[in-house]
Amino acid sequence: MELFFLALLVLLMAFALGSGFPVAFALPGSAIITIVLAAGSGYLFSTGPDAFFDSGGAYQWLSAGVTNFRGIYWEAERDTLIAIPLFVFMGIMLQRSKIAEDLLVTMARLFGPVPGGLGISVVFVGALLAATTGIVGATVVAMGLISLPAMLRNNYSVPLATGTIAASGTLGQIIPPSIVLIILADQLASAVDQAGTIRQTLFKDSTGELSMPSDFAVVSTSAGEMFLGAFLPGLVLVGLYMLFILGFALINPKAAPAVHEEGSFNREFAGKVFMTLVPPLALIFLVLGSIIAGVATVNQAGAIGAVGAMVMAGYRLKEGEKGAYTPAILGIIALMGVAVVISFFGSVNIKRINSSQDILALVLALISVSLILIAIFWSGWRTMKFEDTLRGVMVETAKTTALVFIILLGAAMLTSAFRAFGGEHLVKEFLQGLPGGFWAQFLIVMLVIFILGFFLDFIEIAVVVVPIVAPILLADPSANVTAVWLGVMIGLNIQTSFLTPPFGFALFYLRGVAPAVVKTIDMYKGVIAFIALQLLALAIVGLFPQLVNYLPNRSSLLSETAPPPQNPRLQYCMENLIYEDFQNNGDSILSAISTAEGLDVSYLPKGLQKDLAKGYEKARDALPQMSAIREAENAVAAAAGDYRPLHVEVRALERDARRLDERIKNLSVIVQRAGPNGIYTEAQGAAAAKKIEVLTAEKEALLAQIPDEWEAVHKEFAAIQKAETNARRSYRRTVDDAYEPMLEVKAILRDAEKLAALESEIVALKAEIQTLEPAAAVEAIAAMRSKVGEVEGSRDIRKGLTDARKIMRSKTPDIVAASAEIDNSLAALAADLEWRQRGAKELLADLLTYDTAINRNIGLRQQDRLPDDMALDVAACLADHRDISLNF
């Protein structure tokens, strides 16, 4: 019966959407009606209201959607959706202030003399508007009203003109900042958690080990990473559009002729181009640049965009009047002032004013912030007074945002209902049962999303389909795709929903503003080529995941909060780089080690001498151990060719057997709870028991298909894999042990002068405690002990101070005994200074030279962060998807 109600749910939703019922009510309405019908049927015709649910009951699943949606706001780390109203406000404000119109007119004149120039200008402006507004309806309507008549007047092919405008208007769905990317990031955040659990369980079931290596974990994403990931694919799509139009114009010049305007390219026009292009580009730089640089979160960038759009609207609405640009100029001056304060004074804190320089920085900061506020409020006042623009923008923002969030709530309820009747399990079993592994599953999902785009809006697809299929795709270790790549691929696919008839929204928008001479069939013909280009872009991004993954990785590894080089996810790529370094510079590294071994360290403490000698020995071992890693890696690759087909076959059989186990487990619950006092009838218990027998036989038959040689082959391959794992672990321990002694000695010698400066303070402390009360003496000794503790390798010196403090804290404080212990500290200090100062003079420079030779290879894991050039190489390496399925 669960399948019946699952089918009923889908049919109800399809009927409601097909009949024109509002999406915001069709989704939750279908879920509520189906769950109520299932509960009522169970109550009337079976054991109870929970009888026809895959698990749980009616109340649980009705409340689950609301609970899941509410969790978006209760979880501090899931505040991404707050950015939606900010970006919507930015887009509508720029559209209402006619900045989009200025761009279209100016760019049409600039590109006009090029073959297909009007079409190329539409794509160019569409890309700019996508990066500033992201509102498809507003962009298509604006370009349809302004560009379509001009293109038709100049004898452009009607299909080409309409297709160009409709397709360019949809660029806002993939070029950041994009609402669909924000929604996908939010949905994928939950999907990553589920996928991580699935992969962890798979690893445990396959290997028997309780913990999975962290470098096998599913890589999550955020709205900021989605923006970065979509940036290059968006440019690829723009490039494809432009190349297509240019090629079409060259092949068929009459269908897309060049447009020449006499005397248009003069100084006045150049100024117009500058004033039209620079402000939107500056806003794009502020919004996306702040995210890329890690200066602002997506929400903060959205606020920047909203304020920037209002300032731009403030001068555009007053264009031609005196003082139109004054608020914007004030804002620019204020931003320059803030930049000066940050560049020359660093951070400004009103609670930490210690000098006249701090006061100057504070005054400049206050002036700059005041000017920014004046510019914002002045611009806001203008937009409010001029044709009530601000109010209209805020009303439209509220409507659009409310629609998005109501759909999100409805989709959460629909997804809960889908899971209530076992739909998620059916989808999982169907996808994982497909031959061809991950890529077969992925292509089917992409095809389903593409077909759904003919009938559904992007929001419904994103919030209904993604939570169901994304965990399955992300958990698959054979492709090991990142969440940001999957999100961008889905985003590119969803973009076609605006162009595909019969419900392509971009077509509806354009139909509403196109003249009667433009036939609907011509619009349908026009978008076909652009749909094909979108699918081509999808294939390009699928084949080259670096287009998506590189920028997020680069941003992460170059940011101030970059993961340290010991991060497990970085090790594989780092070791590839280090192997190349050893191959190219192995002789010079060994020479540096030999030179360091020959240094005179006889005056250092025996412990440090021993540690340094051991470190040099380990450093020599690092090179052959890295070669051992490569040999083990090659051995795994050689063995994998014959092992992989058998591995895939057996793991598929075991996966199917685990599914049967799950069903047997659920049926066992029915058997246990059947009977006179149970919630199931005896007949239901007997039927469940019979079904268990059938499923058990199926399971045994599946397991019997496992080839006899599997155990031996798997054991042999596992041993080869373990050799590689052990080689990597051994290398990492070796390089850590090789570098740490040198780091310790270097830090100790560098602190020689710092320690020398403390000698007089300790002598003064000895005299001071003679006149202090015991409690005060304890505090003074503790303060000095902390100071000494800041010096590297000062444990012996601290010991005397520790003992002195202990004596003064006892029930019978003894000044004489405490002074004696302080003398012990002074003696230890004098002994330390003798070899420290000599080492700082004779040894430190040579150790620094040795450090320079090994800190990018042997010592790389111990650095605070990756060097920038290596970070870029590691980012490029991480951008590829690495198959890790043979570890499962």
Side-chain angles (χ1 to χ4, degrees), residues 545-681:
Q546 301 90 340
L547 289 170
V548 175
N549 293 327
Y550 177 71
L551 282 182
N553 287 332
R554 176 191 173 103
S555 176
S556 171
L557 294 177
L558 293 180
S559 69
E560 292 182 2
T561 57
Q566 285 194 348
N567 186 294
R569 181 170 168 254
L570 308 180
Q571 300 310 302
Y572 177 81
C573 292
M574 280 171 43
E575 284 161 8
N576 286 344
L577 288 177
I578 293 170
Y579 175 78
E580 293 178 7
D581 190 23
F582 282 167
Q583 293 297 108
N584 297 328
N585 304 305
D587 292 341
S588 61
I589 293 170
L590 289 173
S591 174
I593 296 171
S594 298
T595 301
E597 285 176 322
L599 296 174
D600 180 14
V601 294
S602 58
Y603 51 86
L604 297 182
K606 296 296 183 184
L608 290 182
Q609 292 182 40
K610 185 177 179 181
D611 289 344
L612 280 174
K614 186 177 179 183
Y616 299 142
E617 181 183 347
K618 293 287 186 180
R620 285 188 176 280
D621 291 341
L623 278 75
Q625 286 190 9
M626 177 57 75
S627 298
I629 290 177
R630 184 51 59 97
E631 290 171 7
E633 194 176 14
N634 292 337
V636 170
D642 295 332
Y643 173 74
R644 188 181 297 277
L646 183 61
H647 175 270
V648 171
E649 178 188 354
V650 173
R651 292 309 186 207
L653 292 170
E654 291 176 342
R655 182 191 62 221
D656 293 341
R658 283 195 295 271
R659 285 189 200 138
L660 294 175
D661 264 336
E662 218 174 301
R663 294 172 63 184
I664 291 170
K665 184 179 177 182
N666 293 334
L667 290 168
S668 299
V669 174
I670 297 176
V671 173
Q672 292 169 6
R673 298 182 180 180
N677 299 320
I679 61 173
Y680 298 100
T681 63

Side-chain angles (χ1 to χ4, degrees), residues 68 78 183-184 186-192 194-195 198 408 411-416 418-419 424 427 445 449 459-474 486 490 494:
N68 292 340
R78 292 188 65 193
I183 294 173
L184 284 170
D186 179 74
Q187 298 297 316
L188 287 168
S190 298
V192 166
Q194 298 175 49
I198 294 171
L408 285 172
M413 296 186 70
L414 181 73
T415 304
S416 294
F418 189 80
R419 288 172 173 155
E424 188 175 26
V427 171
V445 168
I449 290 175
I459 299 178
E460 296 95 89
I461 298 174
V463 299
V464 173
V465 178
V466 173
I468 296 169
V469 301
I472 301 169
L473 297 176
L474 289 173
L486 181 62
I490 293 173
I494 288 175

Side-chain angles (χ1 to χ4, degrees), residues 700-718:
E700 291 174 354
L702 278 173
L703 296 177
Q705 295 177 39
I706 296 177
D708 295 335
E709 70 270 18
W710 163 247
E711 288 296 333
V713 173
H714 173 62
K715 187 175 180 180
E716 181 182 352
F717 185 79

Side-chain angles (χ1 to χ4, degrees), residues 313-386:
Y315 71 73
R316 176 59 181 83
L317 295 172
K318 288 283 186 178
E319 190 174 30
E321 298 183 19
K322 186 177 180 180
Y325 292 96
T326 305
I329 293 171
L330 282 178
I332 293 171
I333 293 172
L335 289 176
M336 292 172 63
V338 170
V340 167
V341 170
I342 293 173
S343 299
F344 291 96
F345 301 101
S347 60
V348 179
N349 192 329
I350 197 169
K351 295 181 179 180
R352 297 179 182 175
I353 304 298
N354 300 317
S355 65
S356 58
Q357 190 175 19
D358 293 336
I359 295 173
L360 176 62
L362 179 62
V363 170
L364 289 176
L366 289 173
I367 292 172
S368 300
V369 171
S370 300
L371 288 177
I372 289 175
L373 292 175
I374 291 171
I376 292 170
F377 284 114
W378 195 345
S379 300
W381 177 261
R382 284 183 173 183
T383 57
M384 185 171 63
K385 286 300 181 181
F386 189 86

Side-chain angles (χ1 to χ4, degrees), residues 163-508:
T164 300
I165 291 172
S168 300
T170 66
L171 289 171
Q173 295 306 293
I174 195 62
I175 294 179
S178 161
I179 294 173
V180 70
L181 294 177
I182 295 173
I183 294 173
L184 284 170
D186 179 74
Q187 298 297 316
L188 287 168
S190 298
V192 166
D193 294 337
Q194 298 175 49
T197 302
I198 294 171
R199 188 177 285 187
Q200 175 70 50
T201 304
L202 178 63
F203 186 81
K204 181 181 176 183
D205 291 341
S206 301
T207 65
E209 297 181 19
L210 296 177
S211 61
M212 181 179 71
S214 54
D215 54 329
F216 292 165
V218 180
V219 180
S220 187
T221 187
S222 64
E225 289 185 336
M226 287 291 289
F227 283 3
L228 290 173
F231 185 72
L232 291 179
L235 294 182
V236 167
L237 195 56
V238 170
L240 289 175
Y241 285 177
M242 288 184 172
L243 286 174
F244 168 74
I245 294 169
L246 181 61
F248 189 90
L250 293 174
I251 294 170
N252 189 1
K254 292 182 180 179
V259 179
H260 298 277
E261 292 189 25
E262 292 294 333
S264 59
F265 296 99
N266 50 30
R267 184 177 298 176
E268 182 183 348
F269 178 67
K272 179 68 175 175
V273 171
F274 179 83
M275 291 306 299
T276 303
L277 269 181
V278 170
L281 290 174
L283 187 61
I284 294 169
F285 175 78
L286 284 174
V287 174
L288 298 183
S290 61
I291 296 173
I292 293 171
V295 175
T297 64
V298 172
N299 295 338
Q300 293 164 345
I304 293 170
V307 169
M310 192 167 64
V311 172
M312 289 170 63
Y315 71 73
R316 176 59 181 83
L317 295 172
K318 288 283 186 178
E319 190 174 30
E321 298 183 19
K322 186 177 180 180
Y325 292 96
T326 305
I329 293 171
L330 282 178
I332 293 171
I333 293 172
L335 289 176
M336 292 172 63
V338 170
V340 167
V341 170
I342 293 173
S343 299
F344 291 96
F345 301 101
S347 60
V348 179
N349 192 329
I350 197 169
K351 295 181 179 180
R352 297 179 182 175
I353 304 298
N354 300 317
S355 65
S356 58
Q357 190 175 19
D358 293 336
I359 295 173
L360 176 62
L362 179 62
V363 170
L364 289 176
L366 289 173
I367 292 172
S368 300
V369 171
S370 300
L371 288 177
I372 289 175
L373 292 175
I374 291 171
I376 292 170
F377 284 114
W378 195 345
S379 300
W381 177 261
R382 284 183 173 183
T383 57
M384 185 171 63
K385 286 300 181 181
F386 189 86
E387 297 181 359
D388 209 12
T389 302
L390 182 61
R391 182 180 181 278
V393 171
M394 293 182 73
V395 169
E396 287 301 314
T397 300
K399 288 180 180 178
T400 305
T401 305
L403 174 65
V404 171
F405 280 82
I406 290 173
I407 292 175
L408 285 172
L409 174 58
M413 296 186 70
L414 181 73
T415 304
S416 294
F418 189 80
R419 288 172 173 155
F421 301 114
E424 188 175 26
H425 296 303
L426 284 175
V427 171
K428 184 177 179 181
E429 290 180 10
F430 168 72
L431 288 177
Q432 292 184 341
L434 290 171
F438 170 85
W439 292 107
Q441 301 169 22
F442 178 72
L443 289 174
I444 291 294
V445 168
M446 289 289 108
L447 179 62
V448 169
I449 290 175
F450 179 72
I451 293 171
L452 288 175
F454 284 75
F455 311 102
L456 299 180
D457 191 7
F458 73 95
I459 299 178
E460 296 95 89
I461 298 174
V463 299
V464 173
V465 178
V466 173
I468 296 169
V469 301
I472 301 169
L473 297 176
L474 289 173
D476 194 318
S478 64
N480 194 29
V481 299
T482 59
V484 65
W485 178 85
L486 181 62
V488 170
M489 292 293 287
I490 293 173
L492 275 170
N493 199 348
I494 288 175
Q495 187 183 350
T496 62
S497 68
F498 280 90
L499 298 179
T500 47
F503 299 121
F505 287 93
L507 301 176
F508 285 139

